[in-house]
Amino acid sequence: MTTAPSAAVPVMLDLRAHLRPPASPDGYVEMWNRLEPVLVTLDPRSGPRICLDMAEEGTVTVLFLSPATAPVPFSANTPFAVRGILEPPRVRYSCATCRREGATTYAPFTCTGCGSDERPGRVCDAHAVFLDGSLRTSCAEHVPVCRCGRTARAWCGGPRCRSGRAWCSDHLVRHRGDASVEYCLECHEERFPACERSGCTGTGLTRCEHRDPNDGKPCDRRMCAEHVTRWRIYGDRSPGLALCARHHGGLRTASPDTLVALILMGTAARAQSRRGSRQGSRRSAFLPRIGIVRHIFINTCNRVLDMGTLDSLFVQLQRDLQHRKAVAGGRGLTEAALRLLDQHAASRREDVQRFRDSHTEGKEHFARLRALLQQSGKYELADAITFADYRPKSGILFVRVPQEMRSRFIGSGGAVVKDLRARLGVNIQLERE
Ligand SMILES: [Zn+2]
Ligand SMILES: [Zn+2]
Ligand SMILES: [Zn+2]
Ligand SMILES: [Zn+2]
Ligand SMILES: [Zn+2]
Ligand SMILES: [Zn+2]
């Protein structure tokens, strides 16, 4: 090139219709070496834009940026200056599946299976696979696999998986309330546990609250709202302990110390679960006072225990638990149970004392009742009746009367007992047998 650079012919190369544009400066030099011999044979006056056919590579268009000043004709010595190159647009995110087939396609979706550790691979509209339950995508080759090894069909939106695990058809169950949602078997069982009653299709949302009195193990059988039975031990303060059919059925024949242990363990488990979660949002669990426990015994197994006996059952239980704690260490439930017993002790002392006081008062009423019977010549009745209970607040004296003497004690139309009530000044009730 002998001419001064200022005389060079300015051109621009348009490679947008070229199928394999050079990837490096060396590639451009090589391409130019092939173009230049053709270029010098052209007449720049035939147009500012001349299309050159590069056979299977496509076409290259040469743009003369200043055709008027170009020498005519070109010679082998004519210098050219390439002022610019128009390249075909590059696809930054191209589909990995399409690439394997030799095509470049824009890929808006990702496939982690195709990618590297730092960047997920890409997949195009046509090759993207979506499974129900999530907007996550993959290519056909990297569709998630179920735990059993088969290709998954949907993501589980259940409480355990939270759309993070995909399962095959065999391991998916439709949501009961919404058929468009599917859960894996485990999530379905957790969300919709079966009721323990055989044949029941209800959801067992309530767990049996029975705890083994010895090791505290929960029963945890599940019951639906219809088949749950409640052992009403908290009065109106709280719903009673939920029990399965087996454990509810066993109450009637259970021994007093077992019943007291069940009340304690069930309440301790409630107290424990309420301590951990959102303190204060729910009412804490408390043991029923022994006056209530006395009624629980009457209603549950038809036993009448006096307050002193009831108190001693709790005291014995406390000793057992303290011993267990010393031997095996205090587990959560044992600790919670001992805490409840500590809180309970003061009200128990109070209740026992009040019972003793009223007992004394009741015994006095009873002695007067017996005297009244003797005064009216009813010696046999006076000997047969026994003291049962006295309620100072309501002024009721409970007496036990043998079955065969009840009608004599009551009198026709209740005349005898009415007269006794009036003379004694307290309400007299027959203890139910
Ligand atoms: Zn593709
Ligand atoms: Zn893939
Ligand atoms: Zn499976
Ligand atoms: Zn699941
Ligand atoms: Zn049921
Ligand atoms: Zn149970």
Side-chain angles (χ1 to χ4, degrees), residues 3 25 48 55 69 93 110 121 128 135 163 170-171 183 188 192 195 222 283 316 324 349 367 385 404:
T3 332
T69 61
Y93 296 123
T110 55
L135 291 176
S163 304
D170 283 359
H171 290 117
Y183 283 169
H188 194 269
F192 302 106
C195 171
R222 302 290 208 125
R283 277 215 259 177
Q316 185 55 48
R324 200 181 299 167
R349 270 193 301 275
I385 63 167
E404 66 279 7

mmCIF file with all atom_site columns, all heavy atoms in Angstrom, residues 3 25 48 55 69 93 110 121 128 135 163 170-171 183 188 192 195 222 283 316 324 349 367 385 404:
data_model
loop_
_atom_site.group_PDB
_atom_site.id
_atom_site.type_symbol
_atom_site.label_atom_id
_atom_site.label_alt_id
_atom_site.label_comp_id
_atom_site.label_asym_id
_atom_site.label_entity_id
_atom_site.label_seq_id
_atom_site.pdbx_PDB_ins_code
_atom_site.Cartn_x
_atom_site.Cartn_y
_atom_site.Cartn_z
_atom_site.occupancy
_atom_site.B_iso_or_equiv
_atom_site.pdbx_formal_charge
_atom_site.auth_seq_id
_atom_site.auth_comp_id
_atom_site.auth_asym_id
_atom_site.auth_atom_id
_atom_site.pdbx_PDB_model_num
ATOM 1   N N   . THR A 1 3   ? -0.132  4.408   -1.251  1.00 0.00 ? 3   THR A N   1
ATOM 2   C CA  . THR A 1 3   ? -0.849  5.669   -1.087  1.00 0.00 ? 3   THR A CA  1
ATOM 3   C C   . THR A 1 3   ? -0.942  6.033   0.398   1.00 0.00 ? 3   THR A C   1
ATOM 4   O O   . THR A 1 3   ? -0.912  5.163   1.265   1.00 0.00 ? 3   THR A O   1
ATOM 5   C CB  . THR A 1 3   ? -2.284  5.572   -1.662  1.00 0.00 ? 3   THR A CB  1
ATOM 6   O OG1 . THR A 1 3   ? -2.277  4.611   -2.682  1.00 0.00 ? 3   THR A OG1 1
ATOM 7   C CG2 . THR A 1 3   ? -2.771  6.913   -2.158  1.00 0.00 ? 3   THR A CG2 1
ATOM 8   N N   . PRO A 1 25  ? -10.110 -11.322 16.057  1.00 0.00 ? 25  PRO A N   1
ATOM 9   C CA  . PRO A 1 25  ? -9.470  -10.417 15.078  1.00 0.00 ? 25  PRO A CA  1
ATOM 10  C C   . PRO A 1 25  ? -8.798  -11.197 13.950  1.00 0.00 ? 25  PRO A C   1
ATOM 11  O O   . PRO A 1 25  ? -8.897  -10.805 12.774  1.00 0.00 ? 25  PRO A O   1
ATOM 12  C CB  . PRO A 1 25  ? -8.430  -9.671  15.917  1.00 0.00 ? 25  PRO A CB  1
ATOM 13  C CG  . PRO A 1 25  ? -8.963  -9.729  17.308  1.00 0.00 ? 25  PRO A CG  1
ATOM 14  C CD  . PRO A 1 25  ? -9.679  -11.050 17.409  1.00 0.00 ? 25  PRO A CD  1
ATOM 15  N N   . PRO A 1 48  ? -23.874 2.449   -3.131  1.00 0.00 ? 48  PRO A N   1
ATOM 16  C CA  . PRO A 1 48  ? -23.112 2.544   -1.873  1.00 0.00 ? 48  PRO A CA  1
ATOM 17  C C   . PRO A 1 48  ? -23.116 1.213   -1.119  1.00 0.00 ? 48  PRO A C   1
ATOM 18  O O   . PRO A 1 48  ? -22.395 1.026   -0.147  1.00 0.00 ? 48  PRO A O   1
ATOM 19  C CB  . PRO A 1 48  ? -23.872 3.611   -1.098  1.00 0.00 ? 48  PRO A CB  1
ATOM 20  C CG  . PRO A 1 48  ? -25.258 3.575   -1.644  1.00 0.00 ? 48  PRO A CG  1
ATOM 21  C CD  . PRO A 1 48  ? -25.172 3.109   -3.080  1.00 0.00 ? 48  PRO A CD  1
ATOM 22  N N   . ALA A 1 55  ? -21.346 -18.017 -0.452  1.00 0.00 ? 55  ALA A N   1
ATOM 23  C CA  . ALA A 1 55  ? -21.806 -19.414 -0.549  1.00 0.00 ? 55  ALA A CA  1
ATOM 24  C C   . ALA A 1 55  ? -22.505 -19.869 0.735   1.00 0.00 ? 55  ALA A C   1
ATOM 25  O O   . ALA A 1 55  ? -23.353 -19.139 1.248   1.00 0.00 ? 55  ALA A O   1
ATOM 26  C CB  . ALA A 1 55  ? -20.637 -20.340 -0.906  1.00 0.00 ? 55  ALA A CB  1
ATOM 27  N N   . THR A 1 69  ? -15.871 9.970   -3.410  1.00 0.00 ? 69  THR A N   1
ATOM 28  C CA  . THR A 1 69  ? -14.427 10.231  -3.404  1.00 0.00 ? 69  THR A CA  1
ATOM 29  C C   . THR A 1 69  ? -13.610 8.982   -3.732  1.00 0.00 ? 69  THR A C   1
ATOM 30  O O   . THR A 1 69  ? -12.376 9.015   -3.734  1.00 0.00 ? 69  THR A O   1
ATOM 31  C CB  . THR A 1 69  ? -13.975 10.757  -2.025  1.00 0.00 ? 69  THR A CB  1
ATOM 32  O OG1 . THR A 1 69  ? -14.260 9.748   -1.058  1.00 0.00 ? 69  THR A OG1 1
ATOM 33  C CG2 . THR A 1 69  ? -14.689 12.045  -1.668  1.00 0.00 ? 69  THR A CG2 1
ATOM 34  N N   . TYR A 1 93  ? -28.765 -15.622 26.274  1.00 0.00 ? 93  TYR A N   1
ATOM 35  C CA  . TYR A 1 93  ? -29.265 -16.820 26.929  1.00 0.00 ? 93  TYR A CA  1
ATOM 36  C C   . TYR A 1 93  ? -29.802 -17.757 25.862  1.00 0.00 ? 93  TYR A C   1
ATOM 37  O O   . TYR A 1 93  ? -30.896 -17.535 25.341  1.00 0.00 ? 93  TYR A O   1
ATOM 38  C CB  . TYR A 1 93  ? -30.392 -16.460 27.907  1.00 0.00 ? 93  TYR A CB  1
ATOM 39  C CG  . TYR A 1 93  ? -29.934 -15.589 29.029  1.00 0.00 ? 93  TYR A CG  1
ATOM 40  C CD1 . TYR A 1 93  ? -30.513 -14.347 29.273  1.00 0.00 ? 93  TYR A CD1 1
ATOM 41  C CD2 . TYR A 1 93  ? -28.907 -16.018 29.873  1.00 0.00 ? 93  TYR A CD2 1
ATOM 42  C CE1 . TYR A 1 93  ? -30.091 -13.558 30.326  1.00 0.00 ? 93  TYR A CE1 1
ATOM 43  C CE2 . TYR A 1 93  ? -28.479 -15.234 30.924  1.00 0.00 ? 93  TYR A CE2 1
ATOM 44  C CZ  . TYR A 1 93  ? -29.073 -13.992 31.148  1.00 0.00 ? 93  TYR A CZ  1
ATOM 45  O OH  . TYR A 1 93  ? -28.648 -13.226 32.187  1.00 0.00 ? 93  TYR A OH  1
ATOM 46  N N   . THR A 1 110 ? -35.013 -21.370 33.046  1.00 0.00 ? 110 THR A N   1
ATOM 47  C CA  . THR A 1 110 ? -33.764 -21.949 33.540  1.00 0.00 ? 110 THR A CA  1
ATOM 48  C C   . THR A 1 110 ? -33.917 -23.454 33.777  1.00 0.00 ? 110 THR A C   1
ATOM 49  O O   . THR A 1 110 ? -35.010 -23.947 34.026  1.00 0.00 ? 110 THR A O   1
ATOM 50  C CB  . THR A 1 110 ? -33.343 -21.309 34.878  1.00 0.00 ? 110 THR A CB  1
ATOM 51  O OG1 . THR A 1 110 ? -34.421 -21.453 35.790  1.00 0.00 ? 110 THR A OG1 1
ATOM 52  C CG2 . THR A 1 110 ? -33.008 -19.844 34.715  1.00 0.00 ? 110 THR A CG2 1
ATOM 53  N N   . GLY A 1 121 ? -28.508 -23.433 33.779  1.00 0.00 ? 121 GLY A N   1
ATOM 54  C CA  . GLY A 1 121 ? -28.584 -23.502 32.325  1.00 0.00 ? 121 GLY A CA  1
ATOM 55  C C   . GLY A 1 121 ? -29.873 -22.865 31.853  1.00 0.00 ? 121 GLY A C   1
ATOM 56  O O   . GLY A 1 121 ? -30.709 -22.452 32.653  1.00 0.00 ? 121 GLY A O   1
ATOM 57  N N   . ALA A 1 128 ? -38.988 -26.107 27.490  1.00 0.00 ? 128 ALA A N   1
ATOM 58  C CA  . ALA A 1 128 ? -39.163 -25.994 28.944  1.00 0.00 ? 128 ALA A CA  1
ATOM 59  C C   . ALA A 1 128 ? -40.249 -26.942 29.424  1.00 0.00 ? 128 ALA A C   1
ATOM 60  O O   . ALA A 1 128 ? -41.276 -27.108 28.774  1.00 0.00 ? 128 ALA A O   1
ATOM 61  C CB  . ALA A 1 128 ? -39.528 -24.560 29.316  1.00 0.00 ? 128 ALA A CB  1
ATOM 62  N N   . LEU A 1 135 ? -43.699 -22.917 39.626  1.00 0.00 ? 135 LEU A N   1
ATOM 63  C CA  . LEU A 1 135 ? -43.353 -22.307 38.336  1.00 0.00 ? 135 LEU A CA  1
ATOM 64  C C   . LEU A 1 135 ? -41.935 -22.666 37.938  1.00 0.00 ? 135 LEU A C   1
ATOM 65  O O   . LEU A 1 135 ? -41.411 -22.156 36.963  1.00 0.00 ? 135 LEU A O   1
ATOM 66  C CB  . LEU A 1 135 ? -43.516 -20.785 38.412  1.00 0.00 ? 135 LEU A CB  1
ATOM 67  C CG  . LEU A 1 135 ? -44.971 -20.327 38.543  1.00 0.00 ? 135 LEU A CG  1
ATOM 68  C CD1 . LEU A 1 135 ? -45.042 -18.828 38.706  1.00 0.00 ? 135 LEU A CD1 1
ATOM 69  C CD2 . LEU A 1 135 ? -45.787 -20.771 37.336  1.00 0.00 ? 135 LEU A CD2 1
ATOM 70  N N   . SER A 1 163 ? -43.626 -27.192 48.320  1.00 0.00 ? 163 SER A N   1
ATOM 71  C CA  . SER A 1 163 ? -43.299 -27.045 46.897  1.00 0.00 ? 163 SER A CA  1
ATOM 72  C C   . SER A 1 163 ? -41.812 -27.229 46.608  1.00 0.00 ? 163 SER A C   1
ATOM 73  O O   . SER A 1 163 ? -41.332 -26.841 45.555  1.00 0.00 ? 163 SER A O   1
ATOM 74  C CB  . SER A 1 163 ? -43.752 -25.683 46.355  1.00 0.00 ? 163 SER A CB  1
ATOM 75  O OG  . SER A 1 163 ? -45.118 -25.516 46.580  1.00 0.00 ? 163 SER A OG  1
ATOM 76  N N   . ASP A 1 170 ? -47.827 -42.052 41.506  1.00 0.00 ? 170 ASP A N   1
ATOM 77  C CA  . ASP A 1 170 ? -48.142 -43.023 42.556  1.00 0.00 ? 170 ASP A CA  1
ATOM 78  C C   . ASP A 1 170 ? -47.973 -42.441 43.949  1.00 0.00 ? 170 ASP A C   1
ATOM 79  O O   . ASP A 1 170 ? -48.526 -42.968 44.909  1.00 0.00 ? 170 ASP A O   1
ATOM 80  C CB  . ASP A 1 170 ? -47.227 -44.252 42.437  1.00 0.00 ? 170 ASP A CB  1
ATOM 81  C CG  . ASP A 1 170 ? -47.688 -45.153 41.320  1.00 0.00 ? 170 ASP A CG  1
ATOM 82  O OD1 . ASP A 1 170 ? -48.715 -44.822 40.685  1.00 0.00 ? 170 ASP A OD1 1
ATOM 83  O OD2 . ASP A 1 170 ? -47.024 -46.173 41.067  1.00 0.00 ? 170 ASP A OD2 1
ATOM 84  N N   . HIS A 1 171 ? -47.179 -41.420 44.071  1.00 0.00 ? 171 HIS A N   1
ATOM 85  C CA  . HIS A 1 171 ? -46.915 -40.874 45.400  1.00 0.00 ? 171 HIS A CA  1
ATOM 86  C C   . HIS A 1 171 ? -47.585 -39.535 45.653  1.00 0.00 ? 171 HIS A C   1
ATOM 87  O O   . HIS A 1 171 ? -47.197 -38.809 46.571  1.00 0.00 ? 171 HIS A O   1
ATOM 88  C CB  . HIS A 1 171 ? -45.401 -40.797 45.638  1.00 0.00 ? 171 HIS A CB  1
ATOM 89  C CG  . HIS A 1 171 ? -44.788 -42.144 45.789  1.00 0.00 ? 171 HIS A CG  1
ATOM 90  N ND1 . HIS A 1 171 ? -43.855 -42.643 44.938  1.00 0.00 ? 171 HIS A ND1 1
ATOM 91  C CD2 . HIS A 1 171 ? -45.051 -43.132 46.693  1.00 0.00 ? 171 HIS A CD2 1
ATOM 92  C CE1 . HIS A 1 171 ? -43.542 -43.883 45.301  1.00 0.00 ? 171 HIS A CE1 1
ATOM 93  N NE2 . HIS A 1 171 ? -44.246 -44.203 46.354  1.00 0.00 ? 171 HIS A NE2 1
ATOM 94  N N   . TYR A 1 183 ? -50.808 -33.313 47.145  1.00 0.00 ? 183 TYR A N   1
ATOM 95  C CA  . TYR A 1 183 ? -49.833 -33.472 48.214  1.00 0.00 ? 183 TYR A CA  1
ATOM 96  C C   . TYR A 1 183 ? -49.177 -34.847 48.078  1.00 0.00 ? 183 TYR A C   1
ATOM 97  O O   . TYR A 1 183 ? -49.795 -35.779 47.558  1.00 0.00 ? 183 TYR A O   1
ATOM 98  C CB  . TYR A 1 183 ? -50.521 -33.420 49.582  1.00 0.00 ? 183 TYR A CB  1
ATOM 99  C CG  . TYR A 1 183 ? -50.906 -32.042 50.063  1.00 0.00 ? 183 TYR A CG  1
ATOM 100 C CD1 . TYR A 1 183 ? -51.734 -31.890 51.171  1.00 0.00 ? 183 TYR A CD1 1
ATOM 101 C CD2 . TYR A 1 183 ? -50.435 -30.891 49.448  1.00 0.00 ? 183 TYR A CD2 1
ATOM 102 C CE1 . TYR A 1 183 ? -52.098 -30.637 51.644  1.00 0.00 ? 183 TYR A CE1 1
ATOM 103 C CE2 . TYR A 1 183 ? -50.785 -29.638 49.910  1.00 0.00 ? 183 TYR A CE2 1
ATOM 104 C CZ  . TYR A 1 183 ? -51.621 -29.513 51.007  1.00 0.00 ? 183 TYR A CZ  1
ATOM 105 O OH  . TYR A 1 183 ? -51.961 -28.287 51.477  1.00 0.00 ? 183 TYR A OH  1
ATOM 106 N N   . HIS A 1 188 ? -50.019 -35.383 52.984  1.00 0.00 ? 188 HIS A N   1
ATOM 107 C CA  . HIS A 1 188 ? -51.464 -35.593 53.030  1.00 0.00 ? 188 HIS A CA  1
ATOM 108 C C   . HIS A 1 188 ? -51.861 -36.193 54.366  1.00 0.00 ? 188 HIS A C   1
ATOM 109 O O   . HIS A 1 188 ? -52.845 -35.786 54.979  1.00 0.00 ? 188 HIS A O   1
ATOM 110 C CB  . HIS A 1 188 ? -51.898 -36.506 51.880  1.00 0.00 ? 188 HIS A CB  1
ATOM 111 C CG  . HIS A 1 188 ? -53.370 -36.495 51.652  1.00 0.00 ? 188 HIS A CG  1
ATOM 112 N ND1 . HIS A 1 188 ? -54.221 -37.382 52.270  1.00 0.00 ? 188 HIS A ND1 1
ATOM 113 C CD2 . HIS A 1 188 ? -54.144 -35.686 50.906  1.00 0.00 ? 188 HIS A CD2 1
ATOM 114 C CE1 . HIS A 1 188 ? -55.460 -37.115 51.893  1.00 0.00 ? 188 HIS A CE1 1
ATOM 115 N NE2 . HIS A 1 188 ? -55.449 -36.099 51.071  1.00 0.00 ? 188 HIS A NE2 1
ATOM 116 N N   . PHE A 1 192 ? -54.240 -34.229 56.591  1.00 0.00 ? 192 PHE A N   1
ATOM 117 C CA  . PHE A 1 192 ? -55.563 -34.862 56.693  1.00 0.00 ? 192 PHE A CA  1
ATOM 118 C C   . PHE A 1 192 ? -55.437 -36.229 57.333  1.00 0.00 ? 192 PHE A C   1
ATOM 119 O O   . PHE A 1 192 ? -55.665 -37.256 56.689  1.00 0.00 ? 192 PHE A O   1
ATOM 120 C CB  . PHE A 1 192 ? -56.201 -35.012 55.310  1.00 0.00 ? 192 PHE A CB  1
ATOM 121 C CG  . PHE A 1 192 ? -56.347 -33.720 54.581  1.00 0.00 ? 192 PHE A CG  1
ATOM 122 C CD1 . PHE A 1 192 ? -55.518 -33.419 53.514  1.00 0.00 ? 192 PHE A CD1 1
ATOM 123 C CD2 . PHE A 1 192 ? -57.288 -32.788 54.973  1.00 0.00 ? 192 PHE A CD2 1
ATOM 124 C CE1 . PHE A 1 192 ? -55.646 -32.208 52.843  1.00 0.00 ? 192 PHE A CE1 1
ATOM 125 C CE2 . PHE A 1 192 ? -57.420 -31.584 54.305  1.00 0.00 ? 192 PHE A CE2 1
ATOM 126 C CZ  . PHE A 1 192 ? -56.597 -31.293 53.239  1.00 0.00 ? 192 PHE A CZ  1
ATOM 127 N N   . CYS A 1 195 ? -59.242 -40.547 60.815  1.00 0.00 ? 195 CYS A N   1
ATOM 128 C CA  . CYS A 1 195 ? -59.871 -40.715 62.126  1.00 0.00 ? 195 CYS A CA  1
ATOM 129 C C   . CYS A 1 195 ? -59.664 -42.163 62.560  1.00 0.00 ? 195 CYS A C   1
ATOM 130 O O   . CYS A 1 195 ? -59.659 -43.066 61.732  1.00 0.00 ? 195 CYS A O   1
ATOM 131 C CB  . CYS A 1 195 ? -61.356 -40.390 62.021  1.00 0.00 ? 195 CYS A CB  1
ATOM 132 S SG  . CYS A 1 195 ? -62.304 -40.792 63.496  1.00 0.00 ? 195 CYS A SG  1
ATOM 133 N N   . ARG A 1 222 ? -55.648 -40.364 66.317  1.00 0.00 ? 222 ARG A N   1
ATOM 134 C CA  . ARG A 1 222 ? -56.336 -39.190 65.783  1.00 0.00 ? 222 ARG A CA  1
ATOM 135 C C   . ARG A 1 222 ? -57.836 -39.418 65.695  1.00 0.00 ? 222 ARG A C   1
ATOM 136 O O   . ARG A 1 222 ? -58.277 -40.489 65.293  1.00 0.00 ? 222 ARG A O   1
ATOM 137 C CB  . ARG A 1 222 ? -55.800 -38.884 64.383  1.00 0.00 ? 222 ARG A CB  1
ATOM 138 C CG  . ARG A 1 222 ? -54.320 -38.643 64.330  1.00 0.00 ? 222 ARG A CG  1
ATOM 139 C CD  . ARG A 1 222 ? -53.995 -37.332 64.983  1.00 0.00 ? 222 ARG A CD  1
ATOM 140 N NE  . ARG A 1 222 ? -52.788 -36.773 64.388  1.00 0.00 ? 222 ARG A NE  1
ATOM 141 C CZ  . ARG A 1 222 ? -52.735 -35.559 63.861  1.00 0.00 ? 222 ARG A CZ  1
ATOM 142 N NH1 . ARG A 1 222 ? -53.791 -34.796 63.845  1.00 0.00 ? 222 ARG A NH1 1
ATOM 143 N NH2 . ARG A 1 222 ? -51.616 -35.116 63.367  1.00 0.00 ? 222 ARG A NH2 1
ATOM 144 N N   . ARG A 1 283 ? -54.483 -19.607 77.348  1.00 0.00 ? 283 ARG A N   1
ATOM 145 C CA  . ARG A 1 283 ? -54.474 -19.727 78.798  1.00 0.00 ? 283 ARG A CA  1
ATOM 146 C C   . ARG A 1 283 ? -53.628 -20.914 79.220  1.00 0.00 ? 283 ARG A C   1
ATOM 147 O O   . ARG A 1 283 ? -53.672 -21.968 78.605  1.00 0.00 ? 283 ARG A O   1
ATOM 148 C CB  . ARG A 1 283 ? -55.900 -19.901 79.276  1.00 0.00 ? 283 ARG A CB  1
ATOM 149 C CG  . ARG A 1 283 ? -56.574 -18.544 79.401  1.00 0.00 ? 283 ARG A CG  1
ATOM 150 C CD  . ARG A 1 283 ? -57.503 -18.546 80.552  1.00 0.00 ? 283 ARG A CD  1
ATOM 151 N NE  . ARG A 1 283 ? -58.854 -18.726 80.059  1.00 0.00 ? 283 ARG A NE  1
ATOM 152 C CZ  . ARG A 1 283 ? -59.898 -18.822 80.850  1.00 0.00 ? 283 ARG A CZ  1
ATOM 153 N NH1 . ARG A 1 283 ? -59.733 -18.790 82.148  1.00 0.00 ? 283 ARG A NH1 1
ATOM 154 N NH2 . ARG A 1 283 ? -61.090 -18.976 80.350  1.00 0.00 ? 283 ARG A NH2 1
ATOM 155 N N   . GLN A 1 316 ? -48.733 -38.663 96.977  1.00 0.00 ? 316 GLN A N   1
ATOM 156 C CA  . GLN A 1 316 ? -48.040 -39.893 96.595  1.00 0.00 ? 316 GLN A CA  1
ATOM 157 C C   . GLN A 1 316 ? -47.452 -39.778 95.185  1.00 0.00 ? 316 GLN A C   1
ATOM 158 O O   . GLN A 1 316 ? -46.309 -40.159 94.932  1.00 0.00 ? 316 GLN A O   1
ATOM 159 C CB  . GLN A 1 316 ? -49.022 -41.079 96.667  1.00 0.00 ? 316 GLN A CB  1
ATOM 160 C CG  . GLN A 1 316 ? -48.377 -42.441 96.402  1.00 0.00 ? 316 GLN A CG  1
ATOM 161 C CD  . GLN A 1 316 ? -47.199 -42.707 97.338  1.00 0.00 ? 316 GLN A CD  1
ATOM 162 O OE1 . GLN A 1 316 ? -47.300 -42.516 98.556  1.00 0.00 ? 316 GLN A OE1 1
ATOM 163 N NE2 . GLN A 1 316 ? -46.050 -43.095 96.770  1.00 0.00 ? 316 GLN A NE2 1
ATOM 164 N N   . ARG A 1 324 ? -38.575 -40.566 90.473  1.00 0.00 ? 324 ARG A N   1
ATOM 165 C CA  . ARG A 1 324 ? -38.256 -40.838 89.064  1.00 0.00 ? 324 ARG A CA  1
ATOM 166 C C   . ARG A 1 324 ? -37.247 -39.814 88.544  1.00 0.00 ? 324 ARG A C   1
ATOM 167 O O   . ARG A 1 324 ? -36.330 -40.140 87.804  1.00 0.00 ? 324 ARG A O   1
ATOM 168 C CB  . ARG A 1 324 ? -39.538 -40.750 88.244  1.00 0.00 ? 324 ARG A CB  1
ATOM 169 C CG  . ARG A 1 324 ? -39.427 -41.470 86.913  1.00 0.00 ? 324 ARG A CG  1
ATOM 170 C CD  . ARG A 1 324 ? -40.703 -41.344 86.114  1.00 0.00 ? 324 ARG A CD  1
ATOM 171 N NE  . ARG A 1 324 ? -41.858 -41.921 86.774  1.00 0.00 ? 324 ARG A NE  1
ATOM 172 C CZ  . ARG A 1 324 ? -43.120 -41.712 86.381  1.00 0.00 ? 324 ARG A CZ  1
ATOM 173 N NH1 . ARG A 1 324 ? -43.360 -40.927 85.354  1.00 0.00 ? 324 ARG A NH1 1
ATOM 174 N NH2 . ARG A 1 324 ? -44.114 -42.273 87.011  1.00 0.00 ? 324 ARG A NH2 1
ATOM 175 N N   . ARG A 1 349 ? -54.203 -27.720 100.309 1.00 0.00 ? 349 ARG A N   1
ATOM 176 C CA  . ARG A 1 349 ? -54.214 -27.569 101.774 1.00 0.00 ? 349 ARG A CA  1
ATOM 177 C C   . ARG A 1 349 ? -55.466 -26.812 102.205 1.00 0.00 ? 349 ARG A C   1
ATOM 178 O O   . ARG A 1 349 ? -56.155 -27.196 103.151 1.00 0.00 ? 349 ARG A O   1
ATOM 179 C CB  . ARG A 1 349 ? -52.966 -26.814 102.232 1.00 0.00 ? 349 ARG A CB  1
ATOM 180 C CG  . ARG A 1 349 ? -51.797 -27.726 102.548 1.00 0.00 ? 349 ARG A CG  1
ATOM 181 C CD  . ARG A 1 349 ? -50.698 -26.966 103.291 1.00 0.00 ? 349 ARG A CD  1
ATOM 182 N NE  . ARG A 1 349 ? -50.185 -25.821 102.541 1.00 0.00 ? 349 ARG A NE  1
ATOM 183 C CZ  . ARG A 1 349 ? -49.212 -25.912 101.623 1.00 0.00 ? 349 ARG A CZ  1
ATOM 184 N NH1 . ARG A 1 349 ? -48.648 -27.078 101.368 1.00 0.00 ? 349 ARG A NH1 1
ATOM 185 N NH2 . ARG A 1 349 ? -48.804 -24.848 100.975 1.00 0.00 ? 349 ARG A NH2 1
ATOM 186 N N   . ALA A 1 367 ? -75.480 -35.278 113.891 1.00 0.00 ? 367 ALA A N   1
ATOM 187 C CA  . ALA A 1 367 ? -75.781 -35.754 115.259 1.00 0.00 ? 367 ALA A CA  1
ATOM 188 C C   . ALA A 1 367 ? -77.158 -35.265 115.690 1.00 0.00 ? 367 ALA A C   1
ATOM 189 O O   . ALA A 1 367 ? -77.937 -36.012 116.321 1.00 0.00 ? 367 ALA A O   1
ATOM 190 C CB  . ALA A 1 367 ? -74.700 -35.254 116.218 1.00 0.00 ? 367 ALA A CB  1
ATOM 191 N N   . ILE A 1 385 ? -78.684 -44.790 109.360 1.00 0.00 ? 385 ILE A N   1
ATOM 192 C CA  . ILE A 1 385 ? -78.144 -43.733 108.489 1.00 0.00 ? 385 ILE A CA  1
ATOM 193 C C   . ILE A 1 385 ? -76.697 -43.408 108.851 1.00 0.00 ? 385 ILE A C   1
ATOM 194 O O   . ILE A 1 385 ? -76.274 -43.590 109.987 1.00 0.00 ? 385 ILE A O   1
ATOM 195 C CB  . ILE A 1 385 ? -79.017 -42.439 108.529 1.00 0.00 ? 385 ILE A CB  1
ATOM 196 C CG1 . ILE A 1 385 ? -79.011 -41.831 109.949 1.00 0.00 ? 385 ILE A CG1 1
ATOM 197 C CG2 . ILE A 1 385 ? -80.431 -42.713 108.052 1.00 0.00 ? 385 ILE A CG2 1
ATOM 198 C CD1 . ILE A 1 385 ? -79.572 -40.428 109.971 1.00 0.00 ? 385 ILE A CD1 1
ATOM 199 N N   . GLU A 1 404 ? -83.523 -50.258 101.609 1.00 0.00 ? 404 GLU A N   1
ATOM 200 C CA  . GLU A 1 404 ? -84.825 -50.739 102.090 1.00 0.00 ? 404 GLU A CA  1
ATOM 201 C C   . GLU A 1 404 ? -85.482 -49.754 103.072 1.00 0.00 ? 404 GLU A C   1
ATOM 202 O O   . GLU A 1 404 ? -86.665 -49.885 103.396 1.00 0.00 ? 404 GLU A O   1
ATOM 203 C CB  . GLU A 1 404 ? -84.675 -52.139 102.710 1.00 0.00 ? 404 GLU A CB  1
ATOM 204 C CG  . GLU A 1 404 ? -83.857 -52.238 103.987 1.00 0.00 ? 404 GLU A CG  1
ATOM 205 C CD  . GLU A 1 404 ? -82.324 -52.269 103.768 1.00 0.00 ? 404 GLU A CD  1
ATOM 206 O OE1 . GLU A 1 404 ? -81.893 -52.080 102.607 1.00 0.00 ? 404 GLU A OE1 1
ATOM 207 O OE2 . GLU A 1 404 ? -81.587 -52.464 104.749 1.00 0.00 ? 404 GLU A OE2 1
#
